[in-house]
Amino acid sequence: MGSRLVPPVTPEPPDLAALRTRVRDFLREQIARGVLTPGVDTWLTRWDEDFTRALAAQGWVGMTIPTEYGGHGRTFLHRFVVTEELLAVGAPVAAHWVADRQIAPTLLRFGTEAQKRRFLPAIVRGECYFGIGMSEPDSGSDLASVRTRAVRVDGGWRLTGTKVWTSGAHRAHAFFALARSAPLDTADRHAGLSQFIVDLRGPGVTIRPITSMNGAHHFNEVFLDDVFVPDDLVLGEIGAGWRQVNSELGYERSGPERFLSTVPLLAETVAAMRQGLLPRHTDTGRYVARLAGLHQMSLAVSGALERGEPADTAAALVKLLGTTTEGDIAEYADQLSDDRAELSERFTDLLATGLLQRPGFTLRGGTNEILRGVIARGLGMRR
């Protein structure tokens, strides 16, 4: 990247426009048939395995996975177009989201051949779902402080600890657990961490729901009680967990889900303005402009990932600016619609969900404070 904070935007391959049109046509048909009801923050809140399998049948899950593992051998830019269109209408993509976004590319980079052949074809078919085993009750964005322990035993490792805010764990098949495999070195807190592929339905795993204020169940607390993980499910190298996790976070933080979660609400707000139900306001253009800029930035990160270039700092920037924007959109719609009872049920439902989900936007994947530190470090402003 040199001195650039964000990588240069990669020229779009000529077939991207045709792909975008194809995805839009598919989504219009799904909405017309009542299969898809647009929502807010649906990559977290809407788990629909039938819809995931329908996308897989179109070739839109596991797009970047090589054909030798059952994938489609497409670029990160092709995947970006598909995910952007899905999120723009609030499609129910939570079931495959984590597996497709970060598990598959992480397996391709750090996994063994046996791990790739075991998990990747099932991800492509939309039949294998993953969670994220990073955060803990006392270790949120500060992942170096995780307390889950991995103890070496004959034939593998025993994991004991607790993971929290684990989206979809009650439905997922497995997650990558970050654990301390060596005693803490106070001089280097990032050393001694490793990643393990944990079967969420195996012995010693207990999953308890974390219920949201509206009664919804997306998050979970996962208890690992002396859970055995065989050597063949160690991810990457023992002791290299910190490097691997940072690579994984690049996929997690930079995608279009970090700025498009409330776009269906913004679209409905504009529709209400057009119908005279809401006052027209110049800030609408400002939000559209912010989204256009974030589109370019996120697309640039996808290009960097495609080229195999480091993009941690740029990904943190996209996440910081993107989640702030999608939260601001929810607040903007709320302020415009104050005391307007004639608004549609669809608008009020989208608004209610947007306001409820807003606090999580700037927490998931790293708080704003942590991300500012990551960006400062990337700019050489701090160690």
Side-chain angles (χ1 to χ4, degrees):
M1 282 173 53
S3 60
R4 296 181 65 108
L5 184 55
V6 177
V9 177
T10 302
E12 293 192 0
D15 58 337
L16 284 192
L19 175 61
R20 193 181 293 277
T21 298
R22 183 182 161 203
V23 176
R24 286 181 179 177
D25 290 344
F26 171 84
L27 292 174
R28 282 195 205 96
E29 179 189 0
Q30 297 293 300
I31 292 171
R33 291 172 50 203
V35 174
L36 188 167
T37 301
V40 165
D41 207 22
T42 53
W43 64 272
L44 172 72
T45 64
R46 297 280 185 90
W47 187 289
D48 187 333
E49 296 176 17
D50 289 337
F51 188 76
T52 283
R53 285 189 287 270
L55 291 177
Q58 296 289 327
W60 297 334
V61 178
M63 295 181 70
T64 63
I65 295 174
T67 55
E68 63 188 286
Y69 301 115
H72 304 284
R74 309 294 288 274
T75 70
F76 279 94
L77 299 178
H78 289 95
R79 181 184 179 276
F80 180 93
V81 164
V82 172
T83 56
E84 190 173 45
E85 292 300 320
L86 290 168
L87 294 167
V89 299
V93 293
H96 68 275
W97 194 259
V98 170
D100 188 53
R101 177 184 67 183
Q102 66 199 87
I103 300 301
T106 300
L107 279 170
L108 286 168
R109 183 168 180 181
F110 300 112
T112 65
E113 187 65 20
Q115 290 168 359
K116 294 173 187 176
R117 295 201 176 277
R118 175 176 174 179
F119 295 109
L120 293 177
I123 289 174
V124 174
R125 294 193 301 268
E127 298 173 356
C128 183
Y129 316 122
F130 271 78
I132 302 172
M134 294 185 191
S135 295
E136 298 185 2
D138 297 315
S139 302
S141 297
D142 182 18
L143 292 176
S145 66
V146 296
R147 297 180 182 178
T148 296
R149 300 190 319 275
V151 178
R152 191 77 173 96
V153 296
D154 186 28
W157 298 77
R158 291 279 181 184
L159 270 61
T160 301
T162 304
K163 296 297 179 180
V164 74
W165 309 120
T166 313
S167 306
H170 56 304
R171 291 167 165 165
H173 299 100
F175 70 8
F176 289 174
L178 180 67
R180 185 156 290 286
S181 54
L184 176 65
D185 179 356
T186 55
D188 184 2
R189 297 169 64 243
H190 299 148
L193 294 170
S194 303
Q195 283 185 295
F196 303 85
I197 306 174
V198 175
D199 179 358
L200 289 174
R201 303 176 185 183
V205 177
T206 301
I207 300 172
R208 295 181 185 169
I210 298 175
T211 306
S212 299
M213 293 172 62
N214 66 345
H217 174 201
H218 317 298
F219 297 119
N220 301 273
E221 196 167 16
V222 180
F223 300 90
L224 306 175
D225 183 11
D226 202 31
V227 173
F228 178 71
V229 178
D231 284 327
D232 61 4
L233 289 182
V234 171
L235 179 66
E237 300 175 22
I238 291 295
W242 184 256
R243 174 175 61 88
Q244 294 173 193
V245 160
N246 272 284
S247 172
E248 188 178 331
L249 286 170
Y251 300 108
E252 181 178 344
R253 289 172 172 166
S254 64
E257 73 270 25
R258 297 305 182 183
F259 61 92
L260 290 179
S261 294
T262 54
V263 160
L265 172 59
L266 182 61
E268 196 65 21
T269 301
V270 172
M273 289 178 179
R274 190 181 302 118
Q275 297 164 19
L277 300 177
L278 286 177
R280 295 176 182 267
H281 199 291
T282 55
D283 280 352
T284 304
R286 292 188 176 93
Y287 287 113
V288 171
R290 285 168 68 174
L291 290 169
L294 285 160
H295 160 84
Q296 291 294 101
M297 293 169 67
S298 185
L299 186 62
V301 174
S302 290
L305 294 174
E306 177 67 28
R307 298 188 296 272
E309 297 174 1
D312 298 350
T313 303
L317 182 64
V318 171
K319 201 271 182 187
L320 172 65
L321 298 178
T323 55
T324 300
T325 296
E326 57 189 9
D328 289 347
I329 288 171
E331 184 174 311
Y332 173 60
D334 186 38
Q335 292 173 344
L336 283 176
S337 60
D338 189 35
D339 295 328
R340 289 181 175 266
E342 69 274 20
L343 289 165
S344 68
E345 182 179 353
R346 172 174 160 76
F347 177 91
T348 55
D349 286 347
L350 289 171
L351 177 60
T353 305
L355 293 174
L356 183 69
Q357 295 299 113
R358 180 182 182 175
F361 293 157
T362 55
L363 295 176
R364 305 184 309 240
T367 66
N368 284 0
E369 291 76 15
I370 291 292
L371 293 175
R372 290 188 185 103
V374 171
I375 295 165
R377 187 177 295 113
L379 291 172
M381 298 170 64
R382 59 172 289 187
R383 294 183 180 180

